[in-house]
Amino acid sequence: MSLALPSFTPAQESLFLTLGGRALDSRLPRPFLGDTMADEILTKVGYDLARFPALTTKFLDARSRVFDIAVRAKTLDDLVRRFISEHPDAVVLDLGAGLDTRVFRIDPPPTVAWYDIDFPEVIAVRSRVVSQRANAHSIGADLTDPDWLNEVPGSRPAMIVGDGLIAFLTQAGFVALLNRLVHHFPSGELAFNLYTRYAIWAVRHAPGMSVIAGGVVNPGFNDPRQPERWVDGVKLVDEIFLTRAPEVDGLSPAMRATARLAAPSARMSRLVGTVVVRYRFKSG
Ligand SMILES: C[S@@+](CC[C@H](N)C(=O)[O-])C[C@H]1O[C@@H](n2cnc3c(N)ncnc32)[C@H](O)[C@@H]1O
């Protein structure tokens, strides 16, 4: 089967890069993440991954092509799991959820309220290809629009995650969003993959990413403490370098050597690898 998709903007189409990465990972003999649902959804939609040469290039082996996407998703999943185990009454927000099925990977208890938010066009497709789940809600909205948060209960601790999102938000839009989130909930955590200035430049210029380059509007930031200066009450608690992830052992010798060389240095790790940042917040 293949769905007739609406014409997506580059930012919206980027969801197929991450979905495709997780789907290809699940086909590996020893996957990093093993999300077979991603592959089922990709098949249902019938999207042609050749539009993302980064996922199909012959210059990299199959594991290296999906490492960042799959291990970043796994890292963010672990952070959400930990928060939920400490706060079984949590609200979880997956910002720019695309067609990701994080809620199925994590399988939270019924006491957790889960919200997947993305543009209405994306949520319309999501509702056709992702199964419904009790206590999981989808909101179709532009995240930079302040109104959508009114649908989310604001009295419980919140775990807010953004996987592959920030590159597509303007700096002003991102900062305003962070402020609204932090003021909406009594306390919680924020976790997302950080885009350094170089990472933004690379996405804009890599031939394998040309389909989405036009949607990349964030300038990136190198200092993980920057959000502390943008929003009162936010504190960096973790900067996780994928160059130091145990999954590096499963990479090809050349990629493993690159990661190992960079791993001791935070600066080099930010340059060559994916970084996941975690912040705690308390509204003032
Ligand atoms: C790289 S994709 C990641 C999707 C998903 N998190 C995943 O890991 O598969 C970025 C997602 O952010 C969404 N997005 C970007 N800007 C947005 C905005 N202003 N409002 C709502 N969603 C947005 C896009 O539609 C897209 O689904």
Side-chain angles (χ1 to χ4, degrees):
M1 182 185 113
S2 148
L3 279 190
L5 288 175
S7 81
F8 276 168
T9 64
Q12 293 165 347
E13 189 163 358
S14 71
L15 72 86
F16 290 111
L17 173 64
T18 40
L19 180 74
R22 290 188 297 272
L24 294 178
D25 166 74
S26 76
R27 295 179 199 167
L28 293 171
R30 285 172 294 108
F32 295 112
L33 181 69
D35 182 351
T36 50
M37 232 177 158
D39 203 17
E40 286 161 20
I41 292 170
L42 188 69
T43 306
K44 273 193 213 166
V45 176
Y47 185 84
D48 180 8
L49 288 186
R51 284 179 61 74
F52 285 106
L55 290 177
T56 55
T57 174
K58 296 283 174 275
F59 294 110
L60 279 179
D61 64 282
R63 297 183 72 73
S64 303
R65 289 197 291 257
V66 300
F67 174 84
D68 282 296
I69 290 172
V71 179
R72 164 176 115 191
K74 190 174 176 187
T75 305
L76 287 166
D77 286 0
D78 288 344
L79 296 181
V80 177
R81 275 193 200 95
R82 184 165 71 181
F83 189 87
I84 288 175
S85 73
E86 288 165 7
H87 305 275
D89 60 336
V91 171
V92 178
L93 269 58
D94 194 340
L95 306 179
L99 300 181
D100 191 5
T101 47
R102 171 162 285 121
V103 67
F104 289 89
R105 292 197 299 273
I106 291 181
D107 191 19
T111 48
V112 167
W114 189 288
Y115 291 83
D116 289 306
I117 306 107
D118 208 301
F119 286 112
E121 297 85 341
V122 172
I123 293 298
V125 174
R126 189 179 170 91
S127 67
R128 295 176 65 187
V129 296
V130 178
S131 319
Q132 297 280 339
R133 219 193 121 97
N135 307 311
H137 317 269
S138 294
I139 301 181
D142 182 336
L143 287 163
T144 61
D145 171 348
D147 293 339
W148 66 267
L149 251 182
N150 298 335
E151 293 183 43
V152 181
S155 53
R156 293 156 63 171
M159 178 74 213
I160 302 164
V161 63
D163 192 345
L165 168 74
I166 313 304
F168 303 100
L169 300 175
T170 62
Q171 176 107 311
F174 178 44
V175 174
L177 173 64
L178 285 181
N179 271 286
R180 278 197 301 276
L181 289 165
V182 165
H183 289 109
H184 188 75
F185 299 102
S187 61
E189 291 189 6
L190 279 156
F192 51 85
N193 62 301
L194 183 147
Y195 289 88
T196 60
R197 287 182 174 269
Y198 170 71
I200 291 288
W201 180 90
V203 182
R204 282 211 188 110
H205 293 88
M209 303 279 194
S210 59
V211 169
I212 59 170
V216 175
V217 292
N218 193 279
F221 58 95
N222 295 344
D223 178 0
R225 293 203 175 273
Q226 185 60 48
E228 295 179 350
R229 297 188 274 276
W230 283 329
V231 192
D232 279 348
V234 165
K235 200 100 208 105
L236 175 76
V237 285
D238 247 340
E239 185 181 16
I240 302 166
F241 300 113
L242 293 204
T243 56
R244 299 177 187 172
E247 288 83 359
V248 164
D249 288 347
L251 284 172
S252 66
M255 297 300 286
R256 199 163 58 229
T258 308
R260 295 247 161 89
L261 269 174
S265 154
R267 194 176 282 228
M268 285 303 291
S269 292
R270 287 185 202 118
L271 190 68
V272 304
T274 291
V275 180
V276 170
V277 280
R278 179 167 72 101
Y279 303 85
R280 230 172 248 140
F281 68 86
K282 233 177 175 19
S283 56

